[in-house]
Amino acid sequence: MKMTVDIDEYAEGAVLLDGLEGAIIGIVEDFGSPGRKMLYSKQGILNILQERDLMTMGEAEEFYDYNILGLHASEQNAVFLDLEITPIKKEDGWEYQLKE
């Protein structure tokens, strides 16, 4: 069953990045930090910058690094998923594979 989440209520005070709503993939919390934070897909942001603003991949990455990743707006600053991995249990430990 799918449920609609009211971000303003569930993650009150979280930093929302204007125009990048389509790259939101979750809400996170951590011990010692006030409130919840928005989790964005880095690749989703890069895709939006390329499609919406007609940037090359290099331009989008540079913009992301300096204007988005480097932004500190509050203690509830957005966080970004760089790589999504899958843990795989092996006989001698764990292996991690990049999700496609």
Side-chain angles (χ1 to χ4, degrees):
M1 176 169 116
K2 294 195 181 205
M3 214 164 95
T4 301
V5 175
D6 182 349
I7 289 175
D8 292 328
E9 181 179 321
Y10 193 77
E12 183 179 357
V15 173
L16 295 171
L17 303 175
D18 192 36
L20 299 173
E21 295 84 357
I24 295 173
I25 57 173
I27 299 172
V28 299
E29 61 184 350
D30 63 340
F31 181 77
S33 292
R36 295 178 177 96
K37 302 173 183 182
M38 301 309 303
L39 175 63
Y40 288 82
S41 163
K42 176 182 176 179
Q43 188 58 55
I45 290 172
L46 295 175
N47 291 344
I48 290 170
L49 294 174
Q50 289 177 87
E51 292 172 18
R52 182 192 67 197
D53 300 335
L54 303 175
M55 292 183 183
T56 65
M57 178 56 94
E59 291 169 335
E61 287 174 333
E62 183 175 343
F63 185 88
Y64 169 83
D65 287 343
Y66 291 102
N67 298 293
I68 298 172
L69 182 62
L71 172 72
H72 181 76
S74 82
E75 290 183 350
Q76 285 179 268
N77 214 42
V79 293
F80 307 94
L81 178 64
D82 187 13
L83 296 174
E84 188 173 357
I85 57 175
T86 302
I88 299 169
K89 180 97 169 114
K90 300 285 187 173
E91 288 182 21
D92 60 343
W94 289 89
E95 176 179 287
Y96 300 92
Q97 293 182 353
L98 185 62
K99 281 193 177 180
E100 295 185 32

